[in-house]
């Protein structure tokens, strides 16, 4: 139990760094925690967000994909859809269009009425020249 409290305190410290705009310090703390907790959703999510802000899109995709390994699509449908759209957006930025489209499709399937998903997918399709 003491280990969980220590872990939570370290995560809170990383989040405080992030909120203070000290992204490099936040990343350092979270990457250190990831060594012992490679599939901890809060750590993965926080790192994915930070990597995206720091333009480290491939690393962000890696963190989001690890999150999908933990989540069950049936039980966590909304969360899987949101993670999928984040993966798709980062892959789009990396010009990995085929893989990006797969994740846009997953997100749209899971969140068919989500305007954010529809808008991002539409922008993606326009960007790759598929205006039809």
């Amino acid at each position: 139990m003491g280990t969980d409290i220590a872990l939570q305190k370290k995560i809170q410290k990383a989040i405080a760094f992030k909120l203070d705009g000290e992204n490099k310090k936040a990343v350092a703390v979270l990457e250190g925690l990831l060594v012992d907790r490679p599939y901890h959703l809060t750590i993965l999510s926080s790192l994915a967000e930070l990597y995206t802000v720091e333009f480290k899109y491939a690393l962000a995709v890696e963190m989001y994909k690890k999150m999908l390994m933990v989540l069950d699509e049936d039980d966590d449908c909304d969360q899987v859809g949101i993670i999928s759209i984040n993966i798709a957006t980062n892959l789009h930025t990396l010009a990995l269009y085929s893989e990006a489209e797969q994740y846009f499709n997953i997100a749209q399937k899971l969140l068919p009425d989500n305007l954010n998903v529809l808008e991002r997918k539409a922008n993606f399709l326009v960007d790759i020249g598929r205006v039809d």
Side-chain angles (χ1 to χ4, degrees):
M1 179 137 162
T3 308
D4 288 339
I5 292 171
L7 175 67
Q8 289 306 317
K9 284 184 178 185
K10 288 179 183 176
I11 291 172
Q12 288 172 353
K13 183 177 184 178
I15 291 170
F17 281 139
K18 179 180 157 189
L19 292 173
D20 288 340
E22 298 185 68
N23 292 346
K24 290 183 184 355
K25 287 182 180 180
V27 167
V29 171
L30 292 166
E31 286 178 340
L33 295 174
L34 195 63
V35 172
D36 293 327
R37 302 294 290 269
Y39 293 97
H40 190 283
L41 288 174
T42 302
I43 296 169
L44 292 170
S45 175
S46 296
L47 276 172
E49 291 172 18
L50 286 162
Y51 287 147
T52 300
V53 169
E54 296 291 317
F55 310 107
K56 296 177 181 180
Y57 303 111
L59 289 172
V61 167
E62 183 182 332
M63 295 302 108
Y64 284 127
K65 285 183 176 182
K66 280 187 176 185
M67 290 175 71
L68 290 181
M69 290 180 190
V70 176
L71 297 170
D72 181 337
E73 185 177 305
D74 294 330
D75 295 333
D76 302 301
C77 179
D78 288 350
Q79 196 168 3
V80 170
I82 291 166
I83 292 167
S84 296
I85 196 68
N86 289 329
I87 292 171
T89 302
N90 281 292
L91 290 168
H92 177 198
T93 302
L94 291 167
L96 298 171
Y97 301 131
S98 178
E99 190 177 359
E101 187 169 9
Q102 292 172 14
Y103 282 97
F104 276 117
N105 290 340
I106 291 168
Q108 186 177 9
K109 180 186 112 189
L110 295 173
L111 303 168
D113 299 323
N114 185 303
L115 294 178
N116 184 34
V117 170
L118 296 173
E119 180 180 14
R120 286 196 200 182
K121 184 175 181 185
N123 289 336
F124 164 74
L125 292 171
V126 168
D127 191 46
I128 64 170
R130 298 218 349 244
V131 293
D132 57 313

